[in-house]
Amino acid sequence: MTTPVCTGASRAVAATAGHRRYPSFSSYVRARGPVLLRTARSLTANPSDAEDLLQTALTKTYVAWERIEDHRALDGYVRRALVNTRTSQWRKRKVDEFACGELPEKEAPPAPDPAERQSLHDAMWRAVLKLPDRQRAMVVLRYYEDLSEVQTAEVLGVTVGTVKSAVSRALGKLREDPELTPVR
């Protein structure tokens, strides 16, 4: 005779051949099954797991049925079996993955090589030093000193348009510098 899976702990246990051997066990399961199932549900998050847990605890109770002297304390015995079974499941459970609210931090990109940074810095300065004096002054004020176009124009005593055009020509020369080509 086969027993359907997950049809409820009380029906599954009562359907086994053992109900003929211990009729008092079958009547106990029918009478107290719903209460014990609520207890099992309080121990697990999933109703199916609660049914499995209760079925396991009732199986343990069935095996020990002859040894249980005081049948008035059966609820306590089954509850203890529920808790012990759940604790054993929890200890044996291996958690490979778990859901979380936040994604784990990504690995930080590797820090740039200080020697490469210094090499790039030196190449840039050599390229800036090749610029005519006026363009060099405007590039240094605009990008190294972080002045606005208006401030750069005021410092050099020229118009904003002159700063814009001179800086544009200087950046064009820097783009064409063969020493800076590998950087792109």
Side-chain angles (χ1 to χ4, degrees):
M1 179 175 170
T2 60
T3 303
V5 179
C6 293
T7 59
S10 60
R11 286 184 301 225
V13 172
T16 62
H19 74 281
R20 285 183 236 122
R21 189 167 169 201
Y22 298 123
S24 59
F25 178 77
S26 296
S27 60
Y28 170 75
V29 171
R30 276 192 298 277
R32 300 300 295 164
V35 173
L36 296 171
L37 185 58
R38 280 195 300 272
T39 303
R41 283 188 177 155
S42 70
L43 295 172
T44 63
N46 185 340
S48 298
D49 290 342
E51 288 180 356
D52 292 343
L53 178 64
L54 179 59
Q55 196 167 19
T56 303
L58 288 173
T59 303
K60 290 178 181 182
T61 304
Y62 178 79
V63 170
W65 192 256
E66 290 179 342
R67 292 178 288 151
I68 300 173
E69 295 174 9
D70 186 7
H71 283 251
R72 292 174 295 178
L74 282 172
D75 282 354
Y77 184 90
V78 176
R79 282 190 183 104
R80 176 51 52 194
L82 285 168
V83 170
N84 289 348
T85 302
R86 182 65 183 137
T87 302
S88 295
Q89 290 171 348
W90 176 75
R91 285 182 181 153
K92 290 177 185 176
R93 188 180 81 192
K94 180 182 176 188
V95 177
D96 289 331
E97 297 179 16
F98 58 95
C100 60
E102 298 177 18
L103 293 175
E105 294 180 20
K106 294 181 180 178
E107 290 185 27
D113 184 15
E116 287 181 24
R117 286 190 74 206
Q118 187 61 45
S119 173
L120 176 61
H121 183 265
D122 292 345
M124 183 59 93
W125 268 113
R126 282 193 299 274
V128 168
L129 290 175
K130 293 178 191 174
L131 295 173
D133 292 340
R134 190 171 175 183
Q135 288 180 356
R136 181 175 50 234
M138 290 183 191
V139 168
V140 168
L141 290 173
R142 181 77 178 92
Y143 294 105
Y144 284 95
E145 297 295 324
D146 201 25
L147 297 180
S148 68
E149 292 169 339
V150 173
Q151 292 170 326
T152 304
E154 288 175 4
V155 168
L156 296 176
V158 295
T159 65
V160 174
T162 303
V163 171
K164 287 182 180 182
S165 62
V167 168
S168 176
R169 283 191 301 277
L171 292 177
K173 289 180 181 178
L174 292 174
R175 281 188 202 102
E176 295 172 1
D177 191 301
E179 204 173 343
L180 298 177
T181 303
V183 175
R184 289 182 225 139

